[in-house]
Amino acid sequence: MKITGAQALVESLRREGVEVIFGFPGGVMLPIYDCLYDCKDIRHILVRHEQGAAHAADGYARATGRVGVCFATSGPGATNLVTGIATAYMDSIPIVAITGQVRTTALGKDSFQEADITGITMPITKHNFLVKNSKDVPEVVAEAFHIARTGRPGPVLIDMPMDVSLGVIDYKPVTNVDIPSYKPNTVGHPLQIKKAAKLIASAERPVIYAGGGVISSGASPELLELSERTNILVTTTLLGKGAFPETHPNSLGMLGMHGTAYANYAVAHCDLLIAIGARFDDRVTGKLDAFAQKAKVIHIDIDPAEIGKTVHVDVPIVGDCKLVLQDLLKYVEPRQPTSWNEQVMKWKAEYPLHYGENGLLPQYVIEKIWEVTNGEAVVATGVGQHQMWAAQFYKCKYPRQFLSSGGLGTMGFGFPAGIGAKVGRPNDIVFVIDGDGSFQMTLQELIVAVENKIAVKVAILNNQYLGMVRQWQELFWNRRYAGVDIAAQPDFVKLAEAYGAVGMRIEKKEQVVDALKKSLEYDDVPVIMDFHIEREENVFPMIPAGQSIEEMMVRRPK
């Protein structure tokens, strides 16, 4: 079958099962968009900024487990994807970004809208391709999707020069991918797994520390079985939220800088830390020398580069979390709750998550979102104080329920990611919990949600500050609030209405539940809820950056 490179690209995407592309066209993308015009199997959603396309593809991937796809043209279109690609890379999210490029004859000549996007994205992609021959398109697409979704998932970029899109080839679909230099190890070593089981049997104070790798490998059922069989308590990272049901009595919630005090105490005093699909990032460990000093460490991860990167590991196991846990469960014996479990439960009772009673507080709003959605909503967040409050107070029941930029900490991520999640899971309620600063970074995508009837619910926790920076200035910089006051801001209700969305302003505690319930009545239009919260409310607990648990600041009930 004789077709163009552009047709081969679209046909290859269709064969990969792509159902939606988030994109923004440009001159060198015209051959590809012309093919999309005739393609009835793939929906194209026109974003208003390429960063929104990358975040929407990312949110779609996190919510569905499938590969997200975004398009951008050459030059600034491609570079506008960079923040979104880096966000996906830091959090191991499978997306394929396809960029147009100037003709191969114009490469390297500072041509109009030329940018070396493969060079730029080399450190922030799992792999990238500059396609120089049209006949390579089917193989490149197949390899890109294979690389993105296998092993440790991550973003892959395909750069398509315009003449490659226009070239005619004899198209043959690629049905099998074999990359000799890329063979991720998925099965854990049997001897290491037996060593781990032995260590678990002998431990007196074990704790499981689960990360996003549990979710990406689909290992939540095995994690639940391990915890219930052994009565080992589970704490998760931000990206691991939902890997283990936070409503389960064995859940300790999130650990780390803004994690629960009891999770941090448990890790500080445990004698065995079982890390599963987690990478010991600095927001979890704080001061490395003081982190889990009394513990031996089992570390299960698909990426051998993560093993021993940050902390000493006693039993490393390289492999897919699901497969490793399945093998581990063959050797792990039942274990009854011990005095260690009782001690942690005492900490849990003594140091609950807590907030005050006066005024409209963000924690209250999030608890009410949880109640009106019965804890069943998919939640996407921006980055800042609201992100940490959401992580603390929206207790996730399932994997792929909490979508947040963990590694890169990208403000503006939440709203477009929520759009992508709603597109991928149209029958689920999707709540975006955002800050007023974070929302303003990508609010232009509101018209995309209106145009496509994407009924996301957006709860802006509006304190008219860049709140997390202000909190640090309050606590560590003598309240010198420099560059954080954003009281000069649009009327979000009028803004929503100007875009054709529904807008609400909530200023009193007693208005919260009615507003949230009202938002659920709309199923074909986005709803923007502007919650005017107390301006100087802080996120606690908090372990200052680089410090140990001894420096943890907590707020306890009186």
Side-chain angles (χ1 to χ4, degrees), residues 74-76 101-102 106-116:
S74 62
Q101 184 55 280
V102 301
L107 284 170
K109 297 178 181 176
D110 295 333
S111 305
F112 176 68
Q113 290 194 333
E114 180 190 4
D116 176 14

Side-chain angles (χ1 to χ4, degrees), residues 350-352 354 554-558:
E350 191 174 355
Y351 298 98
H354 174 72
V554 297
R555 176 190 283 153
R556 299 172 65 180
K558 293 180 181 176

Side-chain angles (χ1 to χ4, degrees), residues 363-386:
Q363 303 94 328
Y364 175 82
V365 175
I366 295 167
E367 281 191 333
K368 294 305 169 188
I369 293 174
W370 193 91
E371 288 177 13
V372 301
T373 59
N374 194 29
E376 303 280 347
V378 175
V379 172
T381 79
V383 167
Q385 286 181 308
H386 67 276

Side-chain angles (χ1 to χ4, degrees), residues 317-486:
I317 305 176
V318 176
D320 178 83
C321 292
K322 186 178 185 71
L323 298 179
V324 171
L325 288 182
Q326 285 176 348
D327 287 340
L328 183 62
L329 285 166
K330 296 173 186 173
Y331 302 103
V332 171
E333 297 293 332
R335 169 182 174 276
Q336 295 304 311
T338 66
S339 57
W340 168 242
N341 294 63
E342 292 175 10
Q343 174 60 62
V344 178
M345 289 303 121
K346 284 181 184 174
W347 285 327
K348 198 169 182 177
E350 191 174 355
Y351 298 98
L353 290 171
H354 174 72
Y355 59 91
E357 297 180 351
N358 298 324
L360 179 52
L361 293 172
Q363 303 94 328
Y364 175 82
V365 175
I366 295 167
E367 281 191 333
K368 294 305 169 188
I369 293 174
W370 193 91
E371 288 177 13
V372 301
T373 59
N374 194 29
E376 303 280 347
V378 175
V379 172
T381 79
V383 167
Q385 286 181 308
H386 67 276
Q387 176 191 30
M388 294 297 107
W389 286 317
Q392 292 175 339
F393 288 92
Y394 200 95
K395 299 186 186 307
C396 292
K397 298 179 178 179
Y398 314 109
R400 305 195 179 283
Q401 196 182 356
F402 193 84
L403 322 177
S404 196
S405 171
L408 198 63
T410 306
M411 289 179 67
F413 170 82
F415 184 44
I419 289 173
K422 184 65 177 174
V423 170
R425 293 168 60 172
N427 297 323
D428 291 325
I429 296 170
V430 175
F431 252 92
V432 176
I433 297 176
D434 221 338
D436 45 321
S438 203
F439 181 66
Q440 289 186 75
M441 285 196 168
T442 49
L443 66 80
Q444 77 282 344
E445 305 307 333
L446 183 52
I447 194 63
V448 177
V450 171
E451 178 186 15
N452 293 279
K453 303 184 187 303
I454 301 170
V456 290
K457 325 296 180 189
V458 182
I460 301 173
L461 302 179
N462 187 349
N463 55 13
Q464 302 182 10
Y465 275 123
L466 300 176
M468 188 60 88
V469 183
R470 185 211 57 77
Q471 177 171 335
W472 285 46
Q473 289 173 335
E474 175 189 336
L475 298 176
F476 311 119
W477 296 86
N478 297 320
R479 298 179 66 92
R480 293 162 59 85
Y481 293 170
V484 292
D485 192 322
I486 53 171

Side-chain angles (χ1 to χ4, degrees), residues 44-121:
H44 178 269
I45 293 182
L46 176 62
V47 298
R48 297 304 189 264
H49 189 286
E50 293 86 349
Q51 184 182 347
H55 290 328
D58 181 319
Y60 173 90
R62 294 184 199 233
T64 65
R66 299 192 288 270
V67 177
V69 179
C70 56
F71 277 7
T73 192
S74 62
T79 57
N80 281 343
L81 289 179
V82 167
T83 297
I85 294 172
T87 302
Y89 181 76
M90 289 289 281
D91 291 350
S92 306
I93 305 303
I95 67 171
V96 170
I98 297 171
T99 49
Q101 184 55 280
V102 301
R103 293 172 184 266
T104 54
T105 52
L107 284 170
K109 297 178 181 176
D110 295 333
S111 305
F112 176 68
Q113 290 194 333
E114 180 190 4
D116 176 14
I117 195 62
T118 51
I120 291 169
T121 59

Side-chain angles (χ1 to χ4, degrees), residues 76 99 118 128 132 144 153 183 224 230 244 297 302 334 346 370 401 434 445 460 472 508 510 541 548 557:
T99 49
T118 51
N128 63 27
K132 292 188 175 178
K183 304 285 184 188
L224 181 63
T230 60
F244 188 83
V297 175
I302 187 74
K346 284 181 184 174
W370 193 91
Q401 196 182 356
D434 221 338
E445 305 307 333
I460 301 173
W472 285 46
K508 296 179 180 177
E510 50 270 28
S548 66

